[in-house]
């Protein structure tokens, strides 16, 4: 695959119909034409061969700057799979076991209490029955949460400390972990699934275990071996700011209705113009479609790309297996909160969601199709059955605004003809 995302394969050579693939762009372009999406870029590859790159709209609507193949995107929670891979690289070196309590390296979590009842101002708590273990961070079963959920008293405690869509100014990963450890867990570790800051804490664990800041570990151990030259925590010195797409937020319509458009979120978006104090393993990276495609192809190929092997195939297979007890889906075992995947018919492994029941999921898909997405509506998935990777980029918060992730699967899968 080329860095500039030049399609070099006729889709028919890998069993895909080019006329049917055009439906992907047609549907996404309607969102742009209807004023619901500023712009987009989508990639489709099968058997490791790039067969489709679609783009439309603008990376900056007000400035009239179009989406380009080299456009940089805030990938937010698509950072999480990178951090999960980093942790499992250390696991493969014998640095820890998945069952190890994280307090061995992050002692601030040893005495974190667990919410039982009460308000954010006067919570009733109990001690941990089960310690937070490494696997709890990887599976989002640690009892940690996000301030932006607005669903639980502990969420409000996060917001009161400055943790909603960001973190307190100047606080690094060690400090934010101390802050999160000072408030109760939402539930006993391992007892439920809740989307939260678990992968940020995992990023801190990577730092402590490896002895390196997270950006250095990523650069030396992941980005350099994969040839990912345009991925970093925020823009680097010398990076062209206009190459970074502008961040937009959906403008709500009538109560309970669909969004009616979008507006710039410059105060939030400008945080990515420079390297932040907090290197968020859960959401801090800026990347390009070409770079992230290398990472996704590494996953599809069982842990290596262009000679750079990060993981063994068995480790990766373990990561993309459903780890929820009894093969439950997220709707059954998890809390019905905002997340980067539909919940029905979908399980969760070590850093990835995966389709475990396509009928219950309600979308044409393969069992074992694994994925994740980001808060600004970016997404990717890998279909091991069809030997397929798909990635999508835009900059629209929140990711629940439009059902793009479901449309991607149905429109790409209908284009597979052999």
């Amino acid at each position: 695959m080329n860095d500039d995302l030049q399609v070099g394969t006729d889709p028919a050579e890998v069993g895909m119909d080019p006329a049917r693939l055009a439906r992907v762009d047609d549907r996404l372009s309607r969102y742009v034409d209807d004023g619901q999406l500023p712009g987009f870029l989508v990639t489709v590859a099968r058997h490791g061969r790039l067969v489709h790159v679609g783009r439309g709209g603008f990376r900056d609507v007000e400035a009239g700057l179009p989406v380009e193949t080299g456009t940089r995107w805030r990938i937010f929670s698509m950072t999480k799979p990178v951090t999960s891979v980093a942790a499992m690289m250390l696991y493969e070196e014998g640095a820890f076991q998945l069952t190890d309590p994280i307090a061995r390296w992050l002692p601030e979590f040893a005495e974190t209490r667990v919410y039982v009842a009460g308000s954010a101002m006067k919570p009733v708590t109990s001690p941990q029955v089960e310690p937070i273990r490494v696997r709890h961070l990887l599976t989002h079963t640690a009892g940690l949460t996000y301030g932006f959920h607005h669903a639980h008293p502990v969420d409000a405690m996060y917001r009161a400390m400055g943790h909603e869509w960001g973190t307190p100014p100047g606080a690094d990963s060690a400090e934010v972990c101390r802050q999160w450890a000072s408030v109760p867990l939402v539930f006993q570790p391992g007892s439920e699934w809740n989307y939260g800051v678990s992968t940020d804490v995992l990023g801190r664990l990577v730092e402590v275990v490896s002895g390196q800041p997270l950006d250095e570990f990523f650069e030396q151990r992941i980005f350099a071996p994969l040839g990912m030259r345009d991925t970093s925590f925020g823009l680097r010195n010398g990076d062209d700011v206009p190459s970074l797409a502008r961040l937009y937020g959906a403008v709500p319509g009538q109560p309970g209705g669909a969004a009616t458009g979008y507006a710039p979120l410059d105060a939030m978006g400008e945080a990515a113009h420079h390297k932040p104090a907090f290197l968020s393993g859960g959401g801090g990276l800026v990347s390009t479609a070409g770079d992230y495609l290398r990472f996704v192809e590494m996953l599809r190929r069982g842990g290596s790309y262009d000679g750079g092997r990060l993981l063994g195939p068995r480790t990766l297979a373990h990561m993309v297996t459903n780890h929820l007890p009894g093969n439950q889906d997220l709707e059954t075992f998890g809390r019905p909160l905002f997340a980067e995947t539909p919940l029905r018919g979908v399980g969760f492994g070590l850093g990835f969601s995966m389709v475990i029941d396509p009928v219950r999921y309600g979308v044409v898909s393969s069992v074992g199709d694994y994925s994740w997405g980001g808060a600004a509506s970016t997404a990717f998935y890998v279909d091991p059955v069809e030997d397929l990777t798909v990635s999508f980029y835009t900059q629209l918060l929140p990711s629940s605004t439009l059902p793009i992730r479901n449309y991607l699967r149905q429109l790409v899968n209908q284009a597979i003809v052999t």
Side-chain angles (χ1 to χ4, degrees):
M1 293 186 183
N2 300 320
D3 291 339
D4 57 357
L5 293 181
Q6 293 297 315
V7 174
T9 298
D10 180 347
E13 294 180 19
V14 293
M16 303 193 77
D17 184 325
R20 284 177 165 263
L21 271 175
R23 295 175 178 176
V24 178
D25 297 354
D26 290 345
R27 184 65 191 89
L28 295 172
S29 293
R30 288 209 301 275
Y31 281 135
V32 174
D33 295 342
D34 291 345
Q36 293 183 287
L37 197 66
F40 69 88
L41 192 154
V42 61
T43 72
V44 180
R46 197 176 193 202
H47 308 319
R49 297 162 73 182
L50 187 62
V51 297
H52 184 76
V53 175
R55 56 191 171 100
F58 297 91
R59 69 182 191 270
D60 186 328
V61 176
E62 290 72 20
L65 299 175
V67 170
E68 299 175 335
T69 53
T71 295
R72 288 181 166 91
W73 311 91
R74 299 163 192 80
I75 62 171
F76 286 108
S77 288
M78 277 165 58
T79 305
K80 287 180 170 69
V82 180
T83 304
S84 299
V85 165
M88 294 305 289
M89 290 170 69
L90 294 172
Y91 166 81
E92 285 193 329
E93 295 170 5
F96 52 76
Q97 297 185 62
L98 296 176
T99 53
D100 284 341
I102 66 169
R104 183 174 302 176
W105 299 275
L106 305 177
E108 59 267 32
F109 287 98
E111 303 297 330
T112 299
R113 306 280 292 183
V114 179
Y115 175 90
V116 175
S119 67
M121 300 300 292
K122 288 190 174 183
V124 178
T125 65
S126 63
Q128 294 178 34
V129 174
E130 166 81 353
I132 301 176
R133 303 182 187 276
V134 178
R135 60 182 171 86
H136 294 143
L137 296 179
L138 282 155
T139 57
H140 287 286
T141 58
L144 298 162
T145 190
Y146 272 127
F148 60 70
H149 283 325
H150 291 259
H152 192 280
V154 175
D155 304 345
M157 295 183 209
Y158 277 52
R159 293 194 299 275
M161 294 191 303
H163 298 274
E164 186 169 9
W165 287 103
T167 51
D172 61 9
S173 57
E175 175 57 27
V176 297
C177 282
R178 285 191 289 267
Q179 292 177 12
W180 291 327
S182 71
V183 297
L185 301 174
V186 176
F187 49 73
Q188 291 287 348
S191 65
E192 297 183 49
W193 186 92
N194 187 61
Y195 193 43
V197 299
S198 290
T199 317
D200 289 303
V201 177
L202 186 69
R204 176 59 184 159
L205 182 70
V206 169
E207 291 186 326
V208 175
V209 171
S210 69
Q212 288 184 287
L214 197 59
D215 59 339
E216 291 183 11
F217 187 97
F218 280 4
E219 181 59 39
Q220 295 172 18
R221 301 289 305 276
I222 297 177
F223 300 157
L226 296 183
M228 297 172 65
R229 295 188 290 269
D230 296 315
T231 305
S232 56
F233 284 101
L235 295 178
R236 297 162 297 197
N237 290 335
D239 283 342
D240 181 25
V241 172
S243 72
L244 178 66
R246 196 170 192 175
L247 185 63
Y248 294 89
V251 176
Q254 299 300 317
T260 57
Y262 50 82
L265 292 176
D266 290 342
M268 182 177 177
E270 287 169 5
H273 289 183
H274 52 79
K275 178 180 172 180
F278 169 46
L279 303 177
S280 170
L285 288 177
V286 166
S287 190
T288 63
D291 260 23
Y292 205 81
L293 184 58
R294 289 172 171 265
F295 178 78
V296 175
E297 277 293 309
M298 176 275 297
L299 300 174
R300 184 192 65 83
R301 298 178 188 196
S304 69
Y305 182 83
D306 269 2
R309 177 163 293 283
L310 305 188
L311 292 170
R314 294 196 66 183
T315 300
L316 192 53
H318 190 66
M319 295 175 72
V320 299
T321 298
N322 186 20
H323 285 245
L324 302 184
N327 202 37
Q328 295 179 77
D329 66 6
L330 288 169
E331 183 173 73
T332 305
F333 189 71
R335 297 193 170 214
L337 299 173
F338 169 85
E340 301 310 337
T341 176
L343 305 180
R344 184 175 298 171
V346 176
F348 201 84
L350 303 181
F352 304 88
S353 65
M354 66 286 307
V355 177
I356 58 175
D357 185 343
V359 174
R360 184 165 163 78
Y361 180 31
V363 177
V364 174
S365 54
S366 299
V367 173
D369 151 344
Y370 61 92
S371 62
W372 204 241
S377 302
T378 59
F380 80 91
Y381 73 89
V382 179
D383 186 333
V385 175
E386 297 294 345
D387 201 27
L388 182 80
T389 65
V390 177
S391 68
F392 173 80
Y393 304 88
T394 189
Q395 297 285 258
L396 180 68
L397 279 165
S399 62
S400 56
T401 304
L402 299 168
I404 291 169
R405 290 161 188 172
N406 287 351
Y407 272 123
L408 284 175
R409 283 177 174 82
Q410 71 188 65
L411 291 168
V412 171
N413 280 316
Q414 62 84 34
I416 300 172
V417 292
T418 59

